[in-house]
Amino acid sequence: MEKGLLYPVTNQFRQDQKLDGLWDFKFDPQAQGEAKGWTTGFDDPIKMPVPASFNDFFTDKDSREYTGDFWYAKKFFVPTYMDGQTIQLRFGAATHRATVYVNGQEIRSHEGGFLPFTADITDAVKLGQENIVTLKMNNELHRDALPAGDTATLKNGKKMAKPFFDFYNYSGLNRSVHLLAVPKNHIYDYSTTYDVSEDQATVHYSVQATDGSNFKVSLSDGDGKVVATAEGQTGDLVVKNPTLWQVRDAYLYTIKFELLDAGKAVDEYSDEIGLRTIEIKGHEILVNHKSVYLRGFGRHEDSIYAGRAFDLNVERRDMNLMKWIGANSFRSSHYPYDEQVYKFADREGILITDEVPAVGFKMAAASFLGGLNQSFFDGDWIDELYKKHIDQVKDMIKRDKNHPSVLAWSLCNEPDTSTDSAVPYFTKLFNDSKDLDPEQRPRTFTLNEDDTFEKSKCLKFPDFYLLNRYPGWYHKWGYEISDGEAGLRAELDEWKNSDIDKPIVFSEYGADTEPGLHKLPSIMWSEEYQIELLDMFDRVFDSYDFIRGEQPWNLADFQTVEGNMRVNGNKKGIFTRDRQPKAAAFYLKKRWTSLPLDYKAGK
Ligand code: GCB
């Protein structure tokens, strides 16, 4: 678990410099990099862009599919004015594991390819000189790691990733690298919780520094006018007549912490926050005590050329597409996204179900992709997996807890909860994550098709339910879709007749659709069939009051492993991979822009 994951800033006390650009890159199939002295750099490098996944730049298949160790290196200058400060490198995402060396000295290792980590390099750098950072990385998949999968060795000796999940194992330095200088005594974490009413809002804050507990705190409005001040490590900021953060109508205040030593500021950290509350009560999802009906998507960080790399341009387009279509929410399926995504959502008033990369915890998923048939939670990898799982839940919550856009935590995607062996795992997961979020946001996980109301043994855990359901596509497809609808209604009737009094959000449903394929009457894969399937689901959603959200799979087409179920990736996008609309986008826009925000409120 990381001590602090504050987003880098530059101010009077801190400096943040991005080390993005071309890095040296080299595959290390024999895992001999250290022995060959690559910790101080290597010859004949490939010039590799950062941030980017390495895979799709290559024109040969061995390189694109490469699985194993690989290295990155870059020279960077550390100016003498950083003397006396703590100097750090911050990696936004290194997929999936990395060991960092500076000038040949091993600094630290990190596991988990979708969350940031910081390496303290103060004692390893030479001031006023060029230094070199190298990373030994590894992108193998294992059952005791997140996301889960296997790594096979082919008869020709080459390794191959076998994901138990449906997205390509894009690898590399997928997010920015920052060189940071912060004061020795610095602020490393803060949290806020809220009470709001029409005429007053209270921000309860707490802030942590490496040494010292004297803080000056202020809150400014969007015009930069200070509206509240406080002192101390914990305290309250009271705002009269606040402008609340509302769904699709966001308003941000700036909270500023100053760390004082003998009355003098020695560090400062500012961030944008939104004044709002989140709650689940009965069937209602409440933001600022008002009912909200979710509409939006499951997504991926995925685009051409750079794979899973964060790309501000793609994100700008995606946000505009979501606004255009009338969406108000998405799930960060199936891993926490780049922090800039959350900053965008904070500003646009979009709600996020933030998901940890716990995906593939199901042997049926593995067998769909050629794996085994046994209960995942009976495996001997479970103890090791759990350690990594809870570690990443902790880091995700630490990183994202201050974003007004974060509505809920998704602790897993489609685990096999139909056997008794899942129960102790989820008992522990929900106990151990209970107090991590000071805001106590709702926690949940998605339930796969097999984990029905009847079959799942873990229904007591989620605060609200996320259902992933594929009638009309993976079963009862084509002309049989009417039976698919009947089956879906039969399942929902069971939920309805139960004493479970929580909202259900449909977090996945959809049909693979080849853009440009038109058929009258429809056939599967045509744009017409995608609309018919969405229309079928919408009919069902409108029939059950406890359904409080619809998030079709997926915002855009995305890359997966090649296979006989996929034609150049997963085509369930409402938009194409280059972010143009399929016909279904116009259908959804019509529905979503006409549904009131508080659709079904009070029912
Ligand atoms: C699912 C998974 C998602 C897949 C989707 C599909 O249930 O959660 O990762 O991409 O189904 O299209 O098969």
Side-chain angles (χ1 to χ4, degrees):
M1 179 184 166
E2 300 300 302
K3 187 167 172 194
L5 286 170
L6 292 180
Y7 195 68
V9 295
T10 294
N11 62 28
Q12 216 183 322
F13 301 98
R14 299 170 166 242
Q15 197 184 329
D16 163 29
Q17 185 198 335
K18 273 191 187 169
L19 297 185
D20 296 351
L22 284 181
W23 286 51
D24 288 354
F25 177 90
K26 206 173 174 93
F27 292 124
D28 185 11
Q30 310 303 328
Q32 290 174 344
E34 279 116 331
K36 289 183 178 162
W38 293 5
T39 57
T40 52
F42 36 83
D43 296 333
D44 305 321
I46 298 163
K47 290 289 177 189
M48 182 61 69
V50 171
S53 306
F54 67 72
N55 312 79
D56 286 352
F57 296 126
F58 289 105
T59 51
D60 67 297
K61 200 150 179 168
D62 286 345
S63 300
R64 180 178 190 260
E65 300 292 330
Y66 179 83
T67 307
D69 287 355
F70 50 98
W71 290 72
Y72 280 86
K74 189 172 182 71
K75 290 191 175 143
F76 63 104
F77 192 86
V78 182
T80 43
Y81 62 73
M82 289 185 176
D83 194 13
Q85 294 208 295
T86 296
I87 303 169
Q88 302 169 328
L89 287 171
R90 188 186 199 265
F91 300 89
T95 310
H96 295 286
R97 46 196 73 81
T99 304
V100 182
Y101 302 85
V102 168
N103 299 328
Q105 184 181 325
E106 182 173 336
I107 310 292
R108 65 163 294 180
S109 296
H110 180 262
E111 163 101 25
F114 303 93
L115 283 163
F117 64 98
T118 303
D120 185 337
I121 58 167
T122 317
D123 297 334
V125 289
K126 295 173 282 183
L127 295 168
Q129 291 180 47
E130 228 170 31
N131 295 266
I132 185 161
V133 53
T134 58
L135 284 103
K136 181 178 86 169
M137 291 180 52
N138 177 284
N139 65 345
E140 289 172 15
L141 299 177
H142 300 289
R143 292 175 196 191
D144 66 2
L146 281 67
D150 283 338
T151 297
T153 304
L154 304 179
K155 293 210 165 54
N156 63 11
K158 301 254 160 57
K159 284 185 190 164
M160 181 182 176
K162 296 266 188 187
F164 297 173
F165 51 87
D166 185 38
F167 52 94
Y168 192 77
N169 189 36
Y170 278 121
S171 308
L173 289 175
N174 280 330
R175 297 180 192 157
S176 288
V177 180
H178 299 252
L179 171 66
L180 305 174
V182 296
K184 280 259 174 313
N185 182 13
H186 59 266
I187 297 163
Y188 66 84
D189 196 18
Y190 85 91
S191 312
T192 49
T193 63
Y194 303 91
D195 287 316
V196 306
S197 66
E198 288 288 308
D199 51 6
Q200 184 169 305
T202 308
V203 183
H204 311 282
Y205 71 85
S206 94
V207 53
Q208 278 77 41
T210 42
D211 186 20
S213 53
N214 291 328
F215 295 91
K216 242 167 77 179
V217 186
S218 68
L219 192 72
S220 317
D221 64 16
D223 298 325
K225 191 173 139 242
V226 175
V227 291
T229 58
E231 284 180 9
Q233 189 156 18
T234 58
D236 292 345
L237 295 154
V238 179
V239 189
K240 298 271 174 223
N241 301 317
T243 309
L244 300 184
W245 187 95
Q246 307 280 15
V247 178
R248 288 296 304 271
D249 187 14
Y251 187 88
L252 298 175
Y253 287 83
T254 299
I255 192 164
K256 178 166 129 187
F257 299 100
E258 278 176 284
L259 173 63
L260 306 177
D261 188 6
K264 210 173 131 240
V266 292
D267 189 21
E268 178 188 312
Y269 190 83
S270 298
D271 205 0
E272 289 183 316
I273 58 170
L275 313 185
R276 57 102 192 86
T277 57
I278 280 164
E279 242 173 314
I280 298 227
K281 248 193 204 160
H283 293 149
E284 312 278 357
I285 298 170
L286 301 169
V287 176
N288 300 329
H289 316 297
K290 291 195 195 108
S291 185
V292 168
Y293 185 85
L294 304 181
R295 64 215 72 169
F297 298 96
R299 298 178 61 193
H300 267 296
E301 287 188 307
D302 172 281
S303 60
I304 50 172
Y305 309 128
R308 184 120 19 254
F310 176 71
D311 183 330
L312 198 55
N313 308 295
V314 176
E315 189 56 29
R316 175 69 271 175
R317 175 74 179 173
D318 282 358
M319 280 287 159
N320 284 352
L321 295 180
M322 285 193 281
K323 283 165 65 181
W324 171 83
I325 206 169
N328 62 13
S329 58
F330 65 85
R331 177 166 58 112
S332 75
S333 41
H334 293 304
Y335 37 81
Y337 293 176
D338 188 283
E339 286 136 303
Q340 293 170 83
V341 175
Y342 301 73
K343 284 178 179 289
F344 255 122
D346 290 347
R347 198 150 273 292
E348 304 289 3
I350 289 184
L351 294 166
I352 303 174
T353 305
D354 205 4
E355 190 159 275
V356 77
V359 52
F361 289 18
K362 189 175 180 69
M363 279 309 178
S367 67
F368 165 73
L369 299 150
L372 302 173
N373 194 10
Q374 76 172 95
S375 168
F376 187 82
F377 292 97
D378 284 335
D380 58 8
W381 51 82
I382 283 301
D383 291 348
E384 186 54 33
L385 179 69
Y386 182 78
K387 282 188 219 150
K388 293 174 187 163
H389 189 176
I390 190 68
D391 187 57
Q392 293 187 40
V393 170
K394 286 177 182 167
D395 281 0
M396 172 177 77
I397 295 179
K398 175 155 280 190
R399 192 192 73 160
D400 296 339
K401 64 184 176 211
N402 294 318
H403 288 286
S405 53
V406 174
L407 167 78
W409 310 109
S410 168
L411 304 186
C412 208
N413 181 63
E414 300 190 345
D416 181 355
T417 63
S418 62
T419 59
D420 289 328
S421 45
V423 178
Y425 190 95
F426 280 90
T427 305
K428 202 161 161 40
L429 184 65
F430 275 76
N431 281 340
D432 293 351
S433 59
K434 192 164 163 286
D435 296 320
L436 296 176
D437 175 13
E439 274 207 85
Q440 298 274 316
R441 287 176 181 85
R443 290 168 300 151
T444 185
F445 52 84
T446 71
L447 285 160
N448 164 273
E449 201 94 60
D450 303 330
D451 296 70
T452 57
F453 178 76
E454 246 179 14
K455 288 201 201 131
S456 177
K457 312 261 187 198
C458 293
L459 295 185
K460 66 177 178 202
F461 297 112
D463 294 317
F464 67 109
Y465 297 105
L466 297 179
L467 299 192
N468 296 354
R469 293 290 182 271
Y470 285 99
W473 191 256
Y474 289 124
H475 58 99
K476 306 293 178 201
W477 58 68
Y479 190 48
E480 271 184 287
I481 194 171
S482 52
D483 279 5
E485 177 171 350
L488 187 59
R489 286 180 184 275
E491 191 200 343
L492 287 168
D493 286 341
E494 286 185 359
W495 286 87
K496 188 177 175 183
N497 297 330
S498 77
D499 54 3
I500 286 175
D501 187 26
K502 298 176 187 174
I504 287 182
V505 170
F506 271 73
S507 44
E508 285 187 29
Y509 54 102
D512 282 86
T513 303
E514 185 57 31
L517 179 66
H518 291 284
K519 280 298 240 189
L520 186 65
S522 75
I523 58 160
M524 292 172 75
W525 293 89
S526 68
E527 297 208 24
E528 288 72 22
Y529 188 76
Q530 187 177 33
I531 294 176
E532 280 167 25
L533 182 136
L534 294 173
D535 194 43
M536 180 278 271
F537 272 89
D538 291 344
R539 253 193 327 268
V540 175
F541 299 157
D542 292 341
S543 318
Y544 296 87
D545 290 336
F546 55 82
I547 295 173
R548 294 306 174 104
E550 41 189 88
Q551 297 183 327
W553 191 249
N554 188 286
L555 173 70
D557 293 346
F558 59 92
Q559 199 48 262
T560 64
V561 286
E562 56 189 331
N564 51 13
M565 305 279 285
R566 296 287 175 259
V567 186
N568 187 23
N570 188 311
K571 293 287 176 67
K572 294 193 187 69
I574 302 301
F575 296 89
T576 59
R577 202 178 186 213
D578 61 356
R579 272 59 179 185
Q580 295 301 331
K582 299 181 190 173
F586 299 94
Y587 163 85
L588 281 179
K589 179 177 168 65
K590 195 158 174 230
R591 174 176 168 85
W592 288 353
T593 51
S594 63
L595 286 182
L597 177 63
D598 65 349
Y599 183 43
K600 301 182 186 175
K603 293 196 176 151

